[in-house]
Amino acid sequence: MLLKLQALLITALVFCFVSCKKSTETVEALPAAAYYPLDTGKYISYRLDSTLFINFGERDTVISYDVMDKVDAKFIDNAGRPAFRILRSIRTDASQQWQANNTFMAVYGEKGVELIENNLRFLKLVDPVKTGFSWKGNSYVETGSFTSDVNYLGGWNYAYDSVNVPLMIGAQIIDSTIKIVQADEFFGDDPSSGFAVYSEKNYSIEKYAKGIGLVFKDFLHWEYTGASGGSKGYYIGYGVRLTLTDHN
């Protein structure tokens, strides 16, 4: 009788181990597209907090809007890949009408999910979706020439910081999200020291939810030039923070 109980216990433990292992592998094996689902009619709305530098770059300010990204059409691109046109609308608040603001294109490519925004192609998500996996997300963007307006995007190393993590946004709890750290760098002197000649900060993270898409984005880029020749020091740059408010 004791031997039978021991055998049953071992069988149960093995079954539990295999089941748990299979469950973990299923989560880890989710394709990148699972966190960026696209289809005609799908929309996501956000609260957009836009950071600008005013008073000739002397200080920053934040202006907030509502934005909505909606998949307008699905087609096949020149490389034979599924592609989607996304229209962004904007308004100052819920009392206003939506106004057309921008157009993006997303592509399910061989490496992962690409987003074309303002004629810049970003490799947003790649396979495998696994904690610690990294890639050059801005490798399709021209950043090396003297004429480039986006040199600051060069060399960014995207990495999955966390996978399958619950996230609370407002009052909503999202079961499974991934966090991608894209940049967290600072160069130069502290502008508050009073002796800074040049400084630059780049910071960018994004969070995606399974079955929803992008649910949070925090981006900031600025450059500071110190005072000289009687002129005050000044900043140039911008910031974008998107926080999910609704989706279908």
Side-chain angles (χ1 to χ4, degrees), residues 177-206:
T177 68
I178 56 176
K179 176 183 175 182
I180 302 172
V181 175
Q182 300 172 337
D184 188 2
E185 53 192 24
F186 177 83
F187 309 104
D189 310 307
D190 181 359
S192 65
S193 68
F195 301 101
V197 176
Y198 177 83
S199 309
E200 179 179 338
K201 181 175 180 61
N202 297 306
Y203 176 79
S204 185
I205 66 166
E206 292 182 343

Side-chain angles (χ1 to χ4, degrees), residues 1-39:
M1 183 66 178
L2 181 60
L3 290 175
K4 288 184 178 181
L5 287 174
Q6 289 176 334
L8 287 172
L9 180 60
I10 292 172
T11 302
L13 289 172
V14 170
F15 178 78
C16 180
F17 174 78
V18 171
S19 298
C20 293
K21 186 170 185 282
K22 184 180 292 185
S23 176
T24 302
E25 289 176 347
T26 300
V27 171
E28 292 293 327
L30 280 176
Y35 294 92
Y36 207 120
L38 295 167
D39 203 356

Side-chain angles (χ1 to χ4, degrees), residues 107-124:
V107 178
Y108 289 149
E110 292 181 2
K111 295 182 179 179
V113 181
E114 300 176 12
L115 181 70
I116 297 88
E117 178 180 1
N118 299 323
N119 294 318
L120 302 176
R121 183 184 296 269
F122 301 93
L123 186 53
K124 290 292 187 178

Side-chain angles (χ1 to χ4, degrees), residues 45-84:
S45 58
Y46 307 94
R47 190 60 176 170
L48 165 63
D49 298 316
S50 176
T51 299
L52 304 171
F53 292 95
I54 60 174
N55 291 0
F56 301 99
E58 291 184 25
R59 67 181 184 88
D60 62 342
T61 188
V62 176
I63 303 175
S64 297
Y65 306 91
D66 293 333
V67 296
M68 179 172 62
D69 294 346
K70 185 174 183 179
V71 180
D72 175 64
K74 177 181 179 180
F75 58 97
I76 302 300
D77 73 359
N78 293 334
R81 307 174 302 174
F84 303 82

